[in-house]
Amino acid sequence: MKLFMLFLPWTFALLSSSFASTSPSVVERIFRVQNLRIKRLCNERVIVAVNGQFPGPNINVREGDTVIVHLLNEGPYNITIHWHGVFQLFSAWADGPEYVTQCTISPGNKYTYKFNVTQQEGTLWWHAHASVLRATVHGAFIIQPRSGLFPFSKPYKQVPIILGDWYDANVVDVETQALASGGAPNVSNAFTINGLPGDLFNCSRSQTFKMKVKQGRTYMLRMINAALNNDLFFKIANHNFTVVAVDASYTERYDTDIIVIAPGQSADVLFTANQPNGSYYMVASPYVVNLPDFDTNIARGTVIYDNALPSSEPLMPILPPFNDTDTAFKFYTNVTSKVGAPHWVPVPLKVDEHMLITIGFSLELCDSKNASNKTCAGEFGDRYSASMNNESFAIPAGIKMSMLEAFYNNVSGVYTTDFPDKPTLNFDFTNLDNAYNKSLLYAPKSTKAKKLNFNSTVEIVFQNTAFLEGQNHPMHLHGYDFHVLAQGFGNFNNDTDRAKFNLVNPQLRNTVGVPLGGWAVIRFQADNPGVWLMHCHMEDHVPWGLAMTFEVGNGPTPSTSVPPPPTDLPKC
């Protein structure tokens, strides 16, 4: 097992904005997953990282390129990599979620991810999709337009801004202890901007991200929320932003003084250095509702004008309250797609599959074999769990192959295709009187998929529930973008809320925030065969079971079907 020290400058590399070619190329990289010794918050910790970097290396490609990444697992844990938001058109074997599209890559072994990047431009990211390793194993995945032209004026520079968090402990141990007790994991100790907590923390004044800017120039911030469990607000003192893309889909220009970004989401944001020469704090702060215990710290970086005096004290922005739902909801619902932009697709109007999926917390008996003699750290002495339509997702112990392998080889017994289209019980989903109703709280563990025909159109109403008082849930779909038709509060009303649907220019996303006490409606066309995970991107909620899968059937030809698995596909 190798141990590496990190020697990187605290400034983050700017991406050249002149990145154009008329023909696709092959982008090939080696990812070495290794232990890395790193110092944060006065303490040295050993983390898992890629190529000795935290955050990991950026991958910068052009639309149409082929990407080949050779992953060598030289670390201590099983791992996979997910290319978050990349469609993986007819390359499902490269998607990465453990036991869904592949078995994990064990220490000392390797796997090559190979896929094309087509019909997408903008900012996505890659991260570990096994255990909680994405806390430190992640990086930007940036897709430049092949022409080099954007549907807006070309920015002077492009700057990746990865918002994350830091655990002053071994994050795998944090998860393991929580799963053993049945309770909630400890919260993070700091938020970070490009891996750095900023000058509010002990021993961290030199660990502050610094962005140098030129007066009058416009910069594109390629923003990613890699934090495990928090929506985040982001502001730069005295500066405004223009959102031009979300989740690698172009948007109408949306002007704002604050960015709100959920775990898993990304955004391309323009900002112009149009203030007096000086220094200005950029700040990431949590947006949290209904959590008694969360990381209340903020991360700070600095924007420094070229001619700023070295002694100038940065200005601090005015931050919203942690629970400012009005500001968050305004941002999340005001963004619209740019009709006619590259890779824009209209909303499919004929719907083949209608689904109402309740999402939220639930409980699991502390010890199903002997519940009366054991107490866990969850509510009523049981384990915290989570479910969708009263099904709590879990891969069965002793699995011999991934779900995708079972689909490809027509093997039964790995999963079933009876995920329900609607909840088993109809009740007042958002009524807090049901928050601790024991007759509703316990959901069975299962490994279920919803079966879809190739090219069918699916509409999903995500309905958040008040179980255990609830929380926001950013729902992420692998393999697809989807149109976000509407979002709202209360119980979705099929008779009145459909009038709110935007069928003209709704935002296209791969991750949508479903608000506490509310709902969101999405629609997508199932034109990519395979087995695709849909789950909450709050990392704590995934091992609890807030997930399900879609089994999308093959198309009519070999070119519209799942290809054979790679010869080096990891074995369970």
Side-chain angles (χ1 to χ4, degrees):
M1 186 168 62
K2 298 181 180 179
L3 197 63
F4 287 77
M5 291 292 291
L6 180 66
F7 296 103
L8 289 175
W10 298 133
T11 52
F12 208 71
L14 302 180
L15 298 175
S16 169
S17 59
S18 56
F19 195 98
S21 174
T22 56
S23 58
S25 59
V26 175
V27 177
E28 192 164 8
R29 299 285 186 269
I30 294 176
F31 272 21
R32 293 184 180 274
V33 177
Q34 307 156 329
N35 270 357
L36 171 70
R37 188 178 298 279
I38 188 172
K39 188 171 185 179
R40 293 288 187 275
L41 313 185
C42 306
N43 298 318
E44 276 199 352
R45 296 291 179 191
V46 175
I47 65 172
V48 178
V50 170
N51 295 353
Q53 299 178 42
F54 172 67
N58 297 327
I59 293 185
N60 203 30
V61 303
R62 293 159 291 199
E63 191 276 328
D65 282 354
T66 296
V67 177
I68 300 174
V69 177
H70 306 283
L71 188 140
L72 312 177
N73 188 1
E74 300 171 356
Y77 305 110
N78 292 353
I79 199 167
T80 67
I81 296 293
H82 170 51
W83 314 93
H84 184 110
V86 176
F87 291 153
Q88 300 295 352
L89 286 169
F90 309 106
S91 57
W93 302 107
D95 191 46
E98 59 178 338
Y99 305 118
V100 177
T101 61
Q102 66 168 99
C103 298
T104 55
I105 307 160
S106 56
N109 287 292
K110 58 187 178 180
Y111 179 50
T112 295
Y113 292 93
K114 182 177 180 179
F115 52 92
N116 294 324
V117 180
T118 58
Q119 303 173 28
Q120 294 179 280
E121 297 175 15
T123 303
L124 298 171
W125 61 303
W126 59 266
H127 60 80
H129 213 297
S131 180
V132 290
L133 292 175
R134 79 170 174 89
T136 56
V137 179
H138 60 251
F141 189 96
I142 294 167
I143 309 169
Q144 305 283 352
R146 191 188 304 180
S147 65
L149 301 176
F150 300 103
F152 46 83
S153 297
K154 181 179 288 188
Y156 175 65
K157 293 287 185 182
Q158 303 175 38
V159 186
I161 299 288
I162 301 177
L163 307 179
D165 45 16
W166 178 260
Y167 288 77
D168 199 17
N170 182 315
V171 69
V172 175
D173 290 345
V174 171
E175 182 195 41
T176 300
Q177 291 162 8
L179 292 176
S181 72
N186 292 337
V187 299
S188 60
N189 298 95
F191 293 108
T192 58
I193 300 174
N194 290 338
L196 303 171
D199 57 5
L200 286 176
F201 296 88
N202 291 335
C203 310
S204 301
R205 180 164 291 277
S206 64
Q207 296 187 345
T208 300
F209 171 65
K210 297 177 181 179
M211 179 179 168
K212 289 274 194 176
V213 298
K214 294 181 181 293
Q215 180 67 243
R217 298 289 192 177
T218 296
Y219 298 79
M220 182 193 289
L221 305 182
R222 292 190 172 274
M223 300 193 65
I224 296 161
N225 184 352
L228 290 189
N229 294 301
N230 279 101
D231 294 61
L232 293 167
F233 295 120
F234 181 83
K235 295 191 78 171
I236 298 176
N238 287 17
H239 290 77
N240 292 323
F241 306 108
T242 299
V243 179
V244 292
V246 294
D247 291 4
S249 293
Y250 290 118
T251 66
E252 292 291 346
R253 296 173 66 94
Y254 176 60
D255 297 323
T256 176
D257 68 344
I258 189 167
I259 304 299
V260 193
I261 188 166
Q265 290 184 336
S266 58
D268 293 337
V269 176
L270 303 178
F271 103 96
T272 301
N274 56 8
Q275 296 300 301
N277 285 333
S279 298
Y280 302 83
Y281 276 120
M282 61 169 64
V283 179
S285 65
Y287 164 53
V288 176
V289 288
N290 206 41
L291 275 183
D293 187 23
F294 65 95
D295 186 351
T296 60
N297 296 300
I298 64 173
R300 296 203 302 198
T302 52
V303 172
I304 305 170
Y305 280 66
D306 262 0
N307 296 320
L309 295 175
S311 60
S312 62
E313 181 68 20
L315 293 178
M316 183 69 182
I318 298 173
L319 299 175
F322 293 134
N323 61 350
D324 190 348
T325 293
D326 289 344
T327 294
F329 192 72
K330 177 183 177 183
F331 182 91
Y332 285 146
T333 57
N334 277 10
V335 174
T336 56
S337 65
K338 188 174 181 63
V339 176
H343 318 300
W344 174 80
V345 293
V347 180
L349 299 180
K350 179 182 177 295
V351 177
D352 303 296
E353 300 277 357
H354 287 273
M355 302 182 73
L356 170 63
I357 301 180
T358 56
I359 57 175
F361 299 133
S362 56
L363 291 174
E364 178 188 3
L365 292 177
C366 184
D367 181 349
S368 58
K369 295 179 182 178
N370 193 4
S372 61
N373 291 336
K374 190 174 181 181
T375 299
C376 291
E379 205 68 42
F380 304 123
D382 283 324
R383 294 182 173 277
Y384 284 123
S385 183
S387 63
M388 303 174 67
N389 279 354
N390 202 46
E391 297 288 345
S392 185
F393 185 81
I395 294 293
I399 189 171
K400 300 300 183 183
M401 65 180 65
S402 69
M403 297 176 72
L404 183 60
E405 288 176 275
F407 166 75
Y408 181 82
N409 293 302
N410 197 26
V411 174
S412 62
V414 176
Y415 67 95
T416 61
T417 56
D418 56 344
F419 183 85
D421 288 344
K422 58 185 179 180
T424 52
L425 289 174
N426 193 22
F427 57 94
D428 190 351
F429 302 118
T430 58
N431 189 339
L432 284 172
D433 289 343
N434 290 319
Y436 297 94
N437 186 335
K438 281 191 170 184
S439 67
L440 299 172
L441 279 174
Y442 292 84
K445 294 293 181 182
S446 63
T447 312
K448 293 189 175 184
K450 164 68 177 176
K451 193 170 185 176
L452 299 175
N453 292 327
F454 181 76
N455 261 348
S456 60
T457 296
V458 186
E459 180 181 288
I460 301 173
V461 178
F462 289 119
Q463 176 65 63
N464 210 335
T465 64
F467 292 156
L468 305 181
E469 300 188 6
Q471 195 181 338
N472 294 334
H473 295 288
M475 299 303 298
H476 171 52
L477 175 61
H478 291 226
Y480 297 93
D481 277 352
F482 48 73
H483 292 93
V484 182
L485 303 185
Q487 297 164 270
F489 292 96
N491 295 321
F492 178 79
N493 186 309
N494 196 57
D495 296 325
T496 60
D497 287 330
R498 287 192 171 274
K500 304 172 185 176
F501 284 11
N502 179 355
L503 300 176
V504 178
N505 64 343
Q507 57 188 279
L508 275 162
R509 281 200 176 272
N510 61 60
T511 305
V512 62
V514 184
L516 172 70
W519 50 268
V521 182
I522 69 169
R523 194 180 290 180
F524 68 97
Q525 187 172 11
D527 56 2
N528 192 13
V531 179
W532 304 104
L533 185 65
M534 185 168 72
H535 64 97
C536 179
H537 223 273
M538 297 285 191
E539 192 66 26
D540 290 352
H541 303 174
V542 177
W544 290 353
L546 196 50
M548 57 83 67
T549 56
F550 288 104
E551 179 198 278
V552 180
N554 287 319
T557 66
S559 65
T560 56
S561 302
V562 175
T567 56
D568 63 340
L569 187 72
K571 303 298 181 185
C572 289

